[in-house]
Amino acid sequence: MGDYAFDASSDFSSLTSLTLGSGLTSIGSYAFNGAESLTSVTIPDLVTSIGSYAFNGATNLSSVNIPALITTIGAGAFQDTGLTSV
């Protein structure tokens, strides 16, 4: 998934729950930046990297499933979120 794929300036800013596709191997920088309505994310098992500020500003994000194969989580990837469960 590329950089800025679903950031707040896109029409996807009202996403509330997200299960990403099984073929995904990385989440780009700022991919869900500012997605304030997003509350939960399930990341597929093959994802190995989450870009910088990928979920920055997703203030209602309270739950994320991070797979065991993750080797890189960029700076601020979950900055300014409401995470209570990882």
Side-chain angles (χ1 to χ4, degrees):
M1 174 174 304
D3 296 346
Y4 299 95
F6 296 96
D7 76 334
S9 65
S10 71
D11 291 335
F12 300 100
S13 61
S14 62
L15 287 172
T16 58
S17 180
L18 185 63
T19 300
L20 299 171
S22 61
L24 190 66
T25 59
S26 67
I27 298 172
S29 296
Y30 299 92
F32 298 96
N33 179 52
E36 293 178 356
S37 298
L38 192 62
T39 59
S40 67
V41 176
T42 299
I43 299 172
D45 290 338
L46 296 179
V47 171
T48 59
S49 67
I50 299 173
S52 298
Y53 305 99
F55 296 95
N56 176 55
T59 54
N60 289 303
L61 181 61
S62 61
S63 175
V64 65
N65 174 32
I66 298 177
L69 294 179
I70 291 284
T71 57
T72 305
I73 297 177
F78 296 98
Q79 179 174 309
D80 296 327
T81 64
L83 280 179
T84 58
S85 175
V86 177

